[in-house]
Amino acid sequence: MAERNPKDTGEWRLGLEPGEHPAPETQPVALIPPDPSIERLQRPLYQLTAEHLGWAAIALYTLLTRLAALGIRPLSAGGARAALFASEIWRDGLAPLANRPFTGAAWPHLLEALFFGAFGPSDYSARLIGGLFGIALVAAAFAMRRSLGRAGALGFATLLAISPTVAYFSRADSWVMPAAALILWAMAAVFAEPRGRR
């Protein structure tokens, strides 16, 4: 700060007057190394945000609407044929695949036969593929968070979770839901690819 020199009225000086000034006394400070355990204990374990609550609500709603009471209705004619074919695979191994021609891919029948082996043949086990792929369809929206943004992915997942059509086909005995989930996951994989790479 500029001070007026009382001895010389025409001269302005900055700071202290010229001359010897004693250095301020400093006490030596002992440097204590930081304790990593104390730093870890002071850090928050988890920060709960509104986005986390939204994803938890969507996940809970999706699990309840896709997996609860799947065997309450009887299978359709096409679903019953596919379930009988899967039960033959479960009982006889892969021989029915070679002996009986069928249209379509073999992996859904193999997966259904695997569920029959794990949970027993039932309407619930026959529809479990659609329910799991219905959950995978909503989970694909979470995988697209980077390209859609946090709010966009949350909105997209909400639309997929509460859609009556998606819920119906998730609980039906058709192959619509596995196909839709695989297509959406392929789109998520394309969006996840860095833009600079070719």
Side-chain angles (χ1 to χ4, degrees):
M1 180 174 171
E3 296 176 354
R4 188 78 179 242
N5 188 355
K7 297 177 183 175
D8 187 6
T9 57
E11 185 180 349
W12 286 86
R13 294 183 188 272
L14 294 176
L16 300 172
E17 291 293 326
E20 291 189 18
H21 299 285
E25 294 183 6
T26 57
Q27 297 288 337
V29 179
L31 295 176
I32 301 172
D35 190 0
S37 61
I38 293 176
E39 289 179 4
R40 279 195 295 268
L41 289 173
Q42 290 175 347
R43 226 179 315 156
L45 293 177
Y46 188 74
Q47 292 180 348
L48 188 65
T49 63
E51 183 191 5
H52 296 142
L53 291 176
W55 283 113
I58 289 171
L60 182 64
Y61 181 80
T62 303
L63 287 172
L64 287 176
T65 56
R66 271 48 171 188
L67 296 180
L70 283 177
I72 210 165
R73 292 183 300 117
L75 295 172
S76 65
R81 279 194 299 273
L84 285 174
F85 187 57
S87 66
E88 288 178 16
I89 295 173
W90 169 62
R91 187 182 61 241
D92 301 333
L94 297 177
L97 290 173
N99 298 336
R100 180 174 161 189
F102 64 94
T103 59
W107 69 266
H109 300 288
L110 294 173
L111 191 58
E112 194 170 3
L114 183 68
F115 288 152
F116 282 171
F119 305 110
S122 66
D123 292 352
Y124 186 90
S125 301
R127 288 197 178 100
L128 197 55
I129 293 175
L132 292 177
F133 275 101
I135 294 169
L137 185 76
V138 178
F142 182 78
M144 299 169 84
R145 281 177 72 222
R146 195 172 213 176
S147 55
L148 296 178
R150 292 185 298 180
L154 195 61
F156 185 44
T158 304
L159 289 175
L160 289 175
I162 66 173
S163 168
T165 305
V166 174
Y168 173 79
F169 282 110
S170 297
R171 300 176 60 80
D173 47 2
S174 69
W175 306 119
V176 173
M177 194 48 54
L182 291 175
I183 288 170
L184 197 59
W185 271 101
M187 290 173 61
V190 168
F191 287 150
E193 184 72 19
R195 296 180 187 228
R197 293 178 62 184
R198 292 286 177 204

